[in-house]
Amino acid sequence: MGLFDNFKKKRAIKGYIEKLPNVLVNDYGRQEYYTQLQVRRSIERAGLNSQHQHYALAMYANRPEFVVYQSEIHENFSYEELREEIGGVYFSGSTEFNCSSVITASASFGGDASSIDCSGGGGDGGSN
């Protein structure tokens, strides 16, 4: 991966942390995890770069939903490796980040997700 490609990837991940929590909660309510389709649609609605959406899915979807995504696009990304990469850069090496952790990181980037509570409730979680 070239320097410019790496820059674009990091910028996309930052957008997924900074902007995506609000869109997901506004679209689907507060949930611990979102479906791969919900994440992909919210990326589109937020106008974020979808080229690296596998990182957003590793952040917001659970492993079974990530596997559904992989089977649809016929790619073989490692859920665990993506979470390790994201955790290493944005969560002090932890792979145990969750919606609340992402919101904390979002605030550090200037995102406006501080009022989101990821404890569940709200929304039906259904696919649109």
Side-chain angles (χ1 to χ4, degrees):
M1 178 179 287
L3 186 60
F4 186 66
D5 290 332
N6 195 40
F7 171 78
K8 286 172 47 178
K9 176 184 78 170
K10 287 183 178 183
R11 187 170 181 176
I13 294 169
K14 184 178 175 184
Y16 302 149
I17 292 171
E18 194 174 274
K19 297 178 182 175
L20 204 50
N22 274 334
V23 178
L24 286 164
V25 170
N26 287 338
D27 288 350
Y28 305 106
R30 296 177 311 229
Q31 299 182 46
E32 185 175 357
Y33 296 105
Y34 294 89
T35 69
Q36 59 89 20
L37 188 57
Q38 290 170 332
V39 174
R40 292 167 73 183
R41 286 181 175 171
S42 292
I43 288 169
E44 186 177 307
R45 277 192 287 277
L48 296 170
N49 180 342
S50 65
Q51 181 181 1
H52 302 286
Q53 66 187 348
H54 47 282
Y55 285 95
L57 288 155
M59 284 188 266
Y60 297 103
N62 60 22
R63 190 174 201 306
E65 281 294 319
F66 189 84
V67 170
V68 169
Y69 163 75
Q70 283 185 308
S71 69
E72 287 183 6
I73 65 161
H74 307 290
E75 289 286 343
N76 194 23
F77 298 109
S78 167
Y79 182 76
E80 290 78 14
E81 287 177 11
L82 291 172
R83 288 187 63 86
E84 285 177 18
E85 184 178 346
I86 296 163
V89 175
Y90 299 99
F91 301 103
S92 303
S94 174
T95 59
E96 299 301 316
F97 54 88
N98 56 26
C99 184
S100 295
S101 308
V102 174
I103 288 168
T104 300
S106 174
S108 73
F109 292 138
D112 185 26
S114 60
S115 63
I116 298 174
D117 172 14
C118 295
S119 60
D124 64 4
S127 297
N128 284 338

